[in-house]
Amino acid sequence: DAVAIGVGGARSCALRANGTVWCWGLTPDVPRGIPTPVVGVNDAIAIDGVGLALRTDGQVLKWGTYSFGSNPSSPATLVDGFS
């Protein structure tokens, strides 16, 4: 039920029809190749492959550390400056 895919470096993410985001690849603390849900993302409408999602209300979420890629076990937080 994936509706979008985001690819970035050594990891990838999929946006599911229910608004959740799942990532896999080279991320710390997550077994390689096993899709893992991003904590705190349940209403996304668009994604990228490095740890950003656009929510239905126009807010932008980020997760993970950019030096190591999008670690889905890091809870998502809001990006300042977006309504």
Side-chain angles (χ1 to χ4, degrees):
D1 63 340
V3 296
I5 297 288
V7 179
R11 67 233 157 253
S12 301
C13 296
L15 171 60
R16 298 182 76 171
N18 65 2
T20 61
V21 176
W22 293 63
C23 297
W24 62 95
L26 183 59
T27 58
D29 303 323
V30 176
R32 211 176 271 193
I34 297 176
T36 304
V38 177
V39 176
V41 181
N42 56 19
D43 61 349
I45 57 172
I47 60 169
D48 73 354
V50 296
L52 296 170
L54 175 64
R55 294 174 62 180
T56 55
D57 61 4
Q59 293 180 322
V60 176
L61 294 170
K62 64 179 180 174
W63 63 90
T65 58
Y66 293 103
S67 60
F68 291 106
S70 54
N71 183 353
S73 62
S74 299
T77 59
L78 291 173
V79 176
D80 291 334
F82 294 92
S83 57

